[in-house]
Amino acid sequence: MQSQDVAQRPLPTPPAGPVVDVAQAEAALVEHYPRLVRLAYLVLPPGLGRGRRVMTAHALTQRALPRGRMPAPVIPAQHAGPRSGATDGPGEGRHGDPGYALVRLQVVRTALEAGLPLRRRAWPKRSQLPPLLPQVWGLRLFPRSGGADELALDQRLSALSGPGRAAYVLRGLERLPDGDVRKVLTAAGVSDADAALREADQVPARYALLDSTEFDPCSLQARPTDLMRRRQHLKAALAGGAALLVCGALLALPGGGWGPDGAAAPVYAQNPAAEAALDPGRLTKAAPTAWRTSARTDFSVWPARGELTGDRALLRRALAVWARPGQTVKVSATPGTQTGGPAGPPQLLYAGAVDNTRVVILYDGLRIVRYAEPEDGTQGAALDFARVDGAAKAEASALVLGRADGNVRYLTAPWVRKAAERDLVEPGSGAMPLTLTRGVTSPLASAALRTGPCTSWNVLQLTDNTGTRLLTDLGELVPARLTAGRPGSARDASGARALREWAPYACSLGAVRGAGVRAVNAWEFAEQPLPDATGSAAWMCTRAETWRGDGALVLAQFHTPGGKYGAVAAKAQDVPACGARDPHVLAGVLWKSGGGTWYLLAAGSRDTASVRATGGITGAAQGHLLAVRAERGAQAQLKGTLQDGRKVDGLH
């Protein structure tokens, strides 16, 4: 392919004719600005990149306005009316308009000059340099993407020389005949316009695609620039000044502690709504007695408690770190919980000192956020998020204030009257009272922090005017509620029977640590006589529901008489079984009798009419229980039929 060069010489003097003044040229430029910018974008070399092509196209078009009166070119402005879908409306305004012809010629000329290579010992032309105006800081702008046809055309045009692209675009976008194209190119400084026309012939004449948004530099998408590189350049440029500011700030702080925004990252933007959300003076606080009269019984009626609720500096640091956590901040969130900043001023629930740590707890209507920093001002701030949308009175009874030395402290709801610690593994051991000081409990052992074998599982027992409930620490901000009973009619696991039912399965709660669990229900769905007549085994189904809705974990557990702990027989995730939507379950286990005989024991909920085993073990029984001899290691598939005729599969 023969490359075409643009001669770097002054614009030829056209024959005498009409004269275009600045006002006429400006009117044409403003009226047809989108088309002129598109023309410049298409002629510019693709090697500039889409972002720079956009800015250069706008710059060249804006600089096309002459400084004074100029002779009008003899080339027509447009050969005919526009196609359907043209860029800037009816074509009569361009046809025969000498002002439009003049600015178009200048756009083509400077766009061709922008594609010329820089030469040694020669000053570059203004169009060859990055544009000074317009400028956009911090964003990359580029046209919207088109389809495969537009991409193919752009690739074919990129293979042409600048004059070849200009010839194709003048033919297709401006619909000029070859004679007028030759005149425009010659007037723009192209030394061999005929060669440019021949080169343009190599690209299929798909001129309608030139009106696509792929080539429209006035309809743009925005994306951020290289944020890491921008930050590095900014740091390098301001290193000296930043060092002086930091040193001055540290000298001004008492004891060299936290700055105004603590461990927060730098401010990204001065947005009024964002600034309002970070103003400690705009934090909302519920009235101390709001919970007594409000129809709501959730976190929104908790009063602000703690001895540091008036510490504006602490509250500002907490809000700033929430909005912009720095690199030294340890951020954690329960699954399905967003970690973005507050949409507006949040509600303050607590601000105080807990075990050598300053703690702030905030609520934005959907999430609980806990900010913690060391009292000595050293680095190590932490930010924890927990989702609590839809919390009712039972789930809004307590929050974790802090954990230390294997213990946990809770902040309880204002309606809680008494708090106690109970070992769920030992239902008969009784509850040990905890001290409540302005809603804060004394420390109790946390099962979530324990390592090694599980021999106990301590839970929090709370009493209010509606009853007693149990909550357990699962390593998150909001403790999980424990219930017992058939799904759909479960009750708080605080009665003697519920405690006995939970005892063998308490240690199985460790399987749902850190899973965003809202509540765990235990349901004894069957009792099965053992084949060797040594007693009856209990079948228990535990279901852990999450705050986000999905991810529920179902465990079918088997407990033989005399055993302290239950054994997990089957488990499943994201299934409706054992829940309020489907209060049915079927599970089986291989069990070895005292005489050494192996059995398949299976049980379904009490509304199961029949159970059948297939595969490595075969057998069937009427009712909800099945016991058949089996070989060690054998596997079977369980199927059940409910009393209403529906089928149910065994948990795996």
Side-chain angles (χ1 to χ4, degrees):
M1 183 182 299
Q2 183 178 359
S3 175
Q4 301 295 319
D5 292 329
V6 180
Q8 298 194 42
R9 60 175 182 264
L11 190 68
T13 304
V19 175
V20 178
D21 59 23
V22 177
Q24 184 179 0
E26 181 184 20
L29 189 150
V30 172
E31 181 180 358
H32 306 297
Y33 184 80
R35 176 170 290 271
L36 291 168
V37 177
R38 186 188 292 260
L39 175 65
Y41 181 83
L42 287 164
V43 175
L44 284 169
L48 293 177
R50 299 177 71 192
R52 183 172 169 185
R53 280 174 74 190
V54 166
M55 304 309 296
T56 303
H58 282 273
L60 297 181
T61 304
Q62 293 172 17
R63 293 205 302 263
L65 187 67
R67 297 182 180 275
R69 293 165 59 88
M70 294 282 291
V74 295
I75 304 99
Q78 185 187 21
H79 185 258
R83 293 183 303 271
S84 174
T87 304
D88 56 354
E92 292 78 3
R94 294 191 302 274
H95 181 58
D97 182 357
Y100 178 77
L102 177 65
V103 293
R104 181 185 62 190
L105 175 60
Q106 184 66 9
V107 167
V108 173
R109 178 175 176 269
T110 54
L112 290 172
E113 289 176 349
L116 294 175
L118 295 175
R119 298 179 178 178
R120 292 183 178 181
R121 299 179 182 178
W123 287 102
K125 293 183 177 292
R126 185 179 180 186
S127 56
Q128 293 177 278
L129 300 175
L132 297 176
L133 291 174
Q135 284 286 350
V136 176
W137 293 88
L139 289 175
R140 292 185 297 111
L141 301 177
F142 48 89
R144 299 182 180 276
S145 298
D149 294 338
E150 288 86 347
L151 178 61
L153 178 60
D154 190 43
Q155 292 174 343
R156 296 293 297 269
L157 291 177
S158 66
L160 301 180
S161 65
R165 278 193 307 275
Y168 186 92
V169 174
L170 289 170
R171 278 177 176 173
L173 190 66
E174 293 296 295
R175 294 177 304 287
L176 295 179
D178 284 359
D180 290 341
V181 172
R182 187 179 294 105
K183 292 178 182 179
V184 173
L185 294 178
T186 301
V190 176
S191 59
D192 192 348
D194 290 328
L197 287 167
R198 290 193 300 272
E199 189 179 356
D201 290 335
Q202 301 174 14
V203 180
R206 306 193 65 181
Y207 298 137
L209 296 178
L210 297 178
D211 286 322
S212 167
T213 57
E214 173 80 22
F215 307 114
D216 185 3
C218 291
S219 179
L220 302 172
Q221 298 183 94
R223 293 293 184 272
T225 56
D226 189 333
L227 299 178
M228 292 301 297
R229 180 178 297 177
R230 189 172 73 191
R231 181 178 295 176
Q232 291 170 358
H233 289 175
L234 182 61
K235 287 181 179 179
L238 301 178
L244 292 175
L245 290 175
V246 170
C247 292
L250 291 176
L251 290 174
L253 289 173
W258 298 97
D261 287 352
V267 178
Y268 302 136
Q270 298 294 331
N271 179 277
E275 289 296 315
L278 300 180
D279 184 359
R282 299 196 181 188
L283 284 173
T284 62
K285 298 178 183 178
T289 58
W291 63 274
R292 297 182 183 273
T293 56
S294 175
R296 301 182 61 172
T297 51
D298 56 11
F299 295 106
S300 66
V301 295
W302 278 33
R305 287 169 287 180
E307 70 277 14
L308 298 178
T309 55
D311 189 338
R312 292 177 61 89
L314 170 64
L315 299 178
R316 177 174 179 81
R317 291 196 296 272
L319 291 169
V321 171
W322 180 359
R324 311 182 309 276
Q327 296 181 353
T328 62
V329 179
K330 298 178 181 178
V331 180
S332 69
T334 57
T337 304
Q338 300 298 319
T339 59
Q347 180 181 344
L348 177 63
L349 302 185
Y350 181 86
V354 181
D355 297 324
N356 299 320
T357 302
R358 286 188 287 260
V359 175
V360 177
I361 296 183
L362 302 164
Y363 171 62
D364 69 352
L366 298 174
R367 300 169 295 173
I368 294 292
V369 180
R370 176 184 179 271
Y371 169 79
E373 66 178 36
E375 277 191 309
D376 58 9
T378 58
Q379 297 295 319
L383 195 64
D384 304 310
F385 294 84
R387 183 173 174 174
V388 292
D389 48 314
K393 183 176 183 178
E395 293 91 352
S397 293
L399 292 172
V400 171
L401 269 185
R403 299 182 182 91
D405 302 325
N407 296 322
V408 59
R409 288 183 187 267
Y410 293 96
L411 176 66
T412 61
W415 51 80
V416 171
R417 296 177 178 176
K418 292 189 298 183
E421 177 182 5
R422 176 183 287 279
D423 185 359
L424 200 58
V425 174
E426 299 290 344
S429 61
M432 296 181 293
L434 296 173
T435 302
L436 275 179
T437 306
R438 293 184 293 277
V440 179
T441 68
S442 54
L444 65 150
S446 171
L449 301 178
R450 182 185 297 111
T451 58
C454 177
T455 57
S456 63
W457 193 277
N458 292 337
V459 296
L460 177 67
Q461 178 176 294
L462 299 178
T463 303
D464 56 33
N465 57 354
T466 61
T468 302
R469 59 185 52 91
L470 297 184
L471 304 172
T472 183
D473 181 18
L474 294 178
E476 297 171 331
L477 273 180
V478 184
R481 180 189 180 192
L482 300 180
T483 59
R486 182 180 176 83
S489 58
R491 62 199 181 279
D492 282 299
S494 55
R497 178 180 175 182
L499 291 172
R500 289 194 301 271
E501 290 177 349
W502 256 110
Y505 315 103
C507 290
S508 67
L509 290 168
V512 291
R513 285 192 184 106
V517 173
R518 179 174 187 161
V520 186
N521 183 60
W523 172 36
E524 187 174 302
F525 64 91
E527 186 175 349
Q528 183 171 23
L530 296 175
D532 61 356
T534 56
S536 295
W539 284 93
M540 178 70 72
C541 182
T542 58
R543 181 181 177 91
E545 300 284 1
T546 66
W547 286 99
R548 63 190 183 277
D550 60 355
L553 179 65
V554 177
L555 299 179
Q557 304 190 60
F558 182 73
H559 181 228
T560 55
K564 187 170 183 179
Y565 304 110
V568 176
K571 66 178 180 180
Q573 194 166 11
D574 284 323
V575 296
C578 200
R581 293 181 58 187
D582 185 17
H584 309 286
V585 64
L586 173 64
V589 68
L590 283 177
W591 176 78
K592 182 180 179 181
S593 69
T597 304
W598 287 91
Y599 292 89
L600 168 65
L601 303 181
S605 48
R606 288 177 174 80
D607 57 353
T608 304
S610 63
V611 180
R612 180 166 56 92
T614 59
I617 307 172
T618 58
Q622 295 297 313
H624 68 289
L625 301 176
L626 172 67
V628 295
R629 288 180 178 269
E631 297 293 332
R632 179 178 182 180
Q635 295 183 349
Q637 290 77 43
L638 295 176
K639 299 283 186 180
T641 303
L642 301 178
Q643 293 175 357
D644 60 5
R646 287 189 297 151
K647 303 297 182 182
V648 60
D649 294 328
L651 290 180
H652 300 293

